[in-house]
């Protein structure tokens, strides 16, 4: 069964599958609670909110695996058509699994590629099970809880790990300031989307609480000193407002447009007169350098490895485990890859792991997700789809210089796949309704 009318989705547990409306039987309510728990748990784990208590992560991921496979098994006849309609999503994990055959560390590549596959399957199930509205609400709630606990840690030091990172900036529940900053930014973007939704989509209490959550997320973003998040905030907010201009009061929209035009027109002149290099000034304000904290050196190492394996890569994630690349890995640590074994660029990471075929497969998923959400937005100016597009911009741009969008158990992969599937299922239902309407008109 597919989800029910999006207008009834006032909470995570409200969204049901969309065949004839399911009756609120005890059995149905039980599985609704199970699915809501699965949605929240997957967001919590993939957002690395439990990274400081690692002993809980693996058991809870196993619970997510088991619940996902159980639920898919129960609704398999209904889920298989969804897989067929979204076959493009499975190309990337299939290539990563295939790379095990030429991997320099076969066991490690096999485990990593299976984790990736399960992550994408979970994203597909959540995208089929829930509407974009519900996914955004769940994202806002779960991430805001993590941010609130991070602020609590900042205020009281209640948890037995450092409040700040070694280079400054609040880490809170997370292992780094960028991780906290991006979570706060994504939560804030989801909340802004919710605040612009219509009354039948969001209840008054949820809307009021969202305002307080928005303020908390912005406060945490400022404390994090995350350069990536600071630069992404106007981009994501701009994308959202550009799509939802009709939901913004005219006075605010006009004022914002005038300020933007003034900044573009006079900003460069003022900076030139003052002798300020804007790039260096912004980076210096948050303790960064023009090497992007060593990322440029990491990218150089990645390109050197890619030139040695230009067609199919070293095998999925094999670079970070194979003895052959021990010296290169030591060089990445000198360049700054200490807290995360990554090149801090998803295209380079994929190229090194599985070559051009895998990178093109990932780009295809991004394209499909974008095209589907745009198609729905063009039809009905959906605020939820506008929010999804803004978040997708954040997913892609942050992953260009970050540690996501190529491996399993990560939030960006979950969001990308869930957005692609939920938008695709909405389009599928719209096409069926259009076909039925045309048949009715012809008769």
């Amino acid at each position: 069964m597919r989800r029910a009318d999006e207008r009834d989705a006032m909470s995570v547990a409200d969204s049901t599958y969309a065949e004839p409306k399911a009756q609120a039987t005890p059995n149905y309510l039980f599985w609704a609670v199970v699915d809501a728990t699965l949605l929240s748990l997957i967001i919590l784990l993939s957002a690395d909110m439990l990274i400081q208590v690692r002993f809980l992560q693996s058991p809870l991921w196993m619970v997510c695996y088991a619940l996902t496979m159980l639920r898919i098994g129960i609704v398999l006849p209904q889920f298989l058509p969804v897989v067929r309609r979204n076959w493009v999503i499975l190309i990337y994990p299939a290539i990563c699994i295939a790379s095990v055959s030429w991997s320099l560390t076969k066991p490690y590549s096999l485990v990593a590629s299976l984790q990736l596959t399960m992550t994408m399957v979970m994203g597909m199930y959540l995208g089929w099970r829930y509407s974009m509205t519900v996914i955004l609400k769940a994202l806002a709630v779960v991430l805001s809880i993590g941010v609130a606990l991070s602020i609590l840690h900042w205020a009281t030091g209640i948890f037995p790990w450092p409040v700040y990172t070694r280079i400054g900036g609040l880490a809170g529940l997370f292992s780094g300031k960028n991780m906290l900053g991006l979570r706060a930014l994504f939560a804030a973007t989801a909340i802004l989307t919710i605040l612009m939704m219509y009354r039948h989509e969001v209840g008054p209490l949820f809307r009021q609480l969202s305002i307080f959550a928005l303020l908390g997320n912005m406060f945490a973003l400022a404390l994090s000193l995350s350069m990536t998040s600071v630069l992404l905030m106007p981009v994501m907010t701009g994308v959202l407002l550009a799509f939802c201009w009709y939901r913004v009061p005219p006075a605010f929209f006009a004022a914002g447009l005038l300020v933007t035009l003034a900044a573009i027109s006079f900003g460069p002149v003022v900076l030139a007169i003052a002798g300020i290099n804007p790039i260096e000034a912004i980076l210096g304000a948050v303790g960064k350098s023009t090497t992007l904290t060593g990322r440029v050196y990491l990218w150089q190492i990645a390109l050197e490895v890619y030139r040695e394996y230009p067609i199919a890569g070293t095998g999925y994630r094999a670079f970070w485990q194979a003895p052959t690349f021990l010296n290169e890995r030591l060089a990445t640590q000198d360049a700054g890859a200490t807290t995360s074994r990554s090149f801090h660029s998803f295209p380079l990471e994929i190229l090194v792991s599985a070559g051009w075929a895998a990178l093109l497969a990932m780009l295809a998923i991004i394209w499909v997700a974008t095209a589907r959400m745009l198609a729905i937005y063009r039809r009905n100016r959906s605020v939820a789809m506008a929010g999804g597009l803004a978040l997708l911009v954040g997913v892609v741009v942050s992953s260009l210089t970050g540690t996501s969008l190529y491996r399993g158990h990560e939030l960006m992969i979950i969001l990308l796949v869930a957005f692609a599937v939920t938008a695709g299922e909405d389009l599928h239902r719209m096409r069926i309704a259009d076909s039925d309407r045309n048949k009715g008109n012809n008769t």
Side-chain angles (χ1 to χ4, degrees), residues 21 29 55 152 250 320 377 427 432:
K21 281 193 175 181
L29 292 176
F55 67 93
L152 177 64
W320 300 102
Y377 175 82
L427 277 177
I432 292 176

mmCIF file of all heavy atoms in Angstrom, residues 21 29 55 152 250 320 377 427 432:
data_model
loop_
_atom_site.group_PDB
_atom_site.id
_atom_site.type_symbol
_atom_site.label_atom_id
_atom_site.label_comp_id
_atom_site.label_asym_id
_atom_site.label_seq_id
_atom_site.Cartn_x
_atom_site.Cartn_y
_atom_site.Cartn_z
ATOM 1 N N LYS A 21 -8.017 3.625 1.544
ATOM 2 C CA LYS A 21 -7.539 3.977 2.874
ATOM 3 C C LYS A 21 -7.622 2.794 3.826
ATOM 4 O O LYS A 21 -8.647 2.145 3.949
ATOM 5 C CB LYS A 21 -8.348 5.135 3.438
ATOM 6 C CG LYS A 21 -7.925 6.478 2.874
ATOM 7 C CD LYS A 21 -8.527 7.586 3.690
ATOM 8 C CE LYS A 21 -8.012 8.934 3.204
ATOM 9 N NZ LYS A 21 -8.548 10.048 3.974
ATOM 10 N N LEU A 29 -2.126 -0.103 12.952
ATOM 11 C CA LEU A 29 -1.494 0.887 13.816
ATOM 12 C C LEU A 29 -0.134 0.399 14.311
ATOM 13 O O LEU A 29 0.808 1.186 14.440
ATOM 14 C CB LEU A 29 -2.411 1.218 15.000
ATOM 15 C CG LEU A 29 -3.708 1.962 14.657
ATOM 16 C CD1 LEU A 29 -4.556 2.143 15.904
ATOM 17 C CD2 LEU A 29 -3.393 3.309 14.025
ATOM 18 N N PHE A 55 29.392 1.928 20.387
ATOM 19 C CA PHE A 55 28.968 0.556 20.669
ATOM 20 C C PHE A 55 27.477 0.345 20.399
ATOM 21 O O PHE A 55 27.024 -0.796 20.255
ATOM 22 C CB PHE A 55 29.300 0.192 22.122
ATOM 23 C CG PHE A 55 28.501 0.956 23.149
ATOM 24 C CD1 PHE A 55 27.317 0.434 23.647
ATOM 25 C CD2 PHE A 55 28.937 2.191 23.607
ATOM 26 C CE1 PHE A 55 26.577 1.130 24.594
ATOM 27 C CE2 PHE A 55 28.207 2.894 24.559
ATOM 28 C CZ PHE A 55 27.023 2.372 25.049
ATOM 29 N N LEU A 152 22.740 21.805 24.683
ATOM 30 C CA LEU A 152 22.752 21.449 26.101
ATOM 31 C C LEU A 152 24.161 21.071 26.550
ATOM 32 O O LEU A 152 24.616 21.466 27.631
ATOM 33 C CB LEU A 152 21.782 20.284 26.348
ATOM 34 C CG LEU A 152 21.733 19.730 27.781
ATOM 35 C CD1 LEU A 152 21.204 20.798 28.749
ATOM 36 C CD2 LEU A 152 20.868 18.472 27.838
ATOM 37 N N PRO A 250 4.683 39.798 0.191
ATOM 38 C CA PRO A 250 5.283 40.650 -0.846
ATOM 39 C C PRO A 250 6.289 41.659 -0.317
ATOM 40 O O PRO A 250 7.317 41.906 -0.940
ATOM 41 C CB PRO A 250 4.056 41.350 -1.457
ATOM 42 C CG PRO A 250 2.912 40.424 -1.190
ATOM 43 C CD PRO A 250 3.214 39.779 0.123
ATOM 44 N N TRP A 320 41.432 2.880 1.132
ATOM 45 C CA TRP A 320 41.578 3.183 2.554
ATOM 46 C C TRP A 320 41.933 1.963 3.382
ATOM 47 O O TRP A 320 42.035 2.055 4.605
ATOM 48 C CB TRP A 320 40.290 3.823 3.074
ATOM 49 C CG TRP A 320 39.981 5.082 2.339
ATOM 50 C CD1 TRP A 320 39.049 5.252 1.345
ATOM 51 C CD2 TRP A 320 40.634 6.339 2.479
ATOM 52 N NE1 TRP A 320 39.085 6.536 0.877
ATOM 53 C CE2 TRP A 320 40.046 7.233 1.548
ATOM 54 C CE3 TRP A 320 41.663 6.806 3.314
ATOM 55 C CZ2 TRP A 320 40.449 8.556 1.440
ATOM 56 C CZ3 TRP A 320 42.058 8.121 3.196
ATOM 57 C CH2 TRP A 320 41.462 8.980 2.266
ATOM 58 N N TYR A 377 6.862 20.036 -8.937
ATOM 59 C CA TYR A 377 6.744 21.460 -8.604
ATOM 60 C C TYR A 377 6.078 22.227 -9.744
ATOM 61 O O TYR A 377 5.240 23.103 -9.500
ATOM 62 C CB TYR A 377 8.125 22.047 -8.306
ATOM 63 C CG TYR A 377 8.084 23.538 -8.067
ATOM 64 C CD1 TYR A 377 7.736 24.043 -6.820
ATOM 65 C CD2 TYR A 377 8.348 24.432 -9.102
ATOM 66 C CE1 TYR A 377 7.658 25.410 -6.599
ATOM 67 C CE2 TYR A 377 8.279 25.803 -8.890
ATOM 68 C CZ TYR A 377 7.935 26.278 -7.645
ATOM 69 O OH TYR A 377 7.853 27.638 -7.438
ATOM 70 N N LEU A 427 4.715 11.149 -8.965
ATOM 71 C CA LEU A 427 4.523 11.308 -10.410
ATOM 72 C C LEU A 427 3.769 10.124 -10.994
ATOM 73 O O LEU A 427 2.908 10.290 -11.876
ATOM 74 C CB LEU A 427 5.886 11.441 -11.101
ATOM 75 C CG LEU A 427 6.530 12.824 -11.122
ATOM 76 C CD1 LEU A 427 7.900 12.752 -11.782
ATOM 77 C CD2 LEU A 427 5.651 13.823 -11.863
ATOM 78 N N ILE A 432 -1.249 8.066 -13.457
ATOM 79 C CA ILE A 432 -2.400 7.158 -13.425
ATOM 80 C C ILE A 432 -3.696 7.964 -13.368
ATOM 81 O O ILE A 432 -4.674 7.661 -14.075
ATOM 82 C CB ILE A 432 -2.295 6.201 -12.222
ATOM 83 C CG1 ILE A 432 -1.134 5.227 -12.424
ATOM 84 C CG2 ILE A 432 -3.601 5.441 -12.032
ATOM 85 C CD1 ILE A 432 -0.907 4.306 -11.237
#
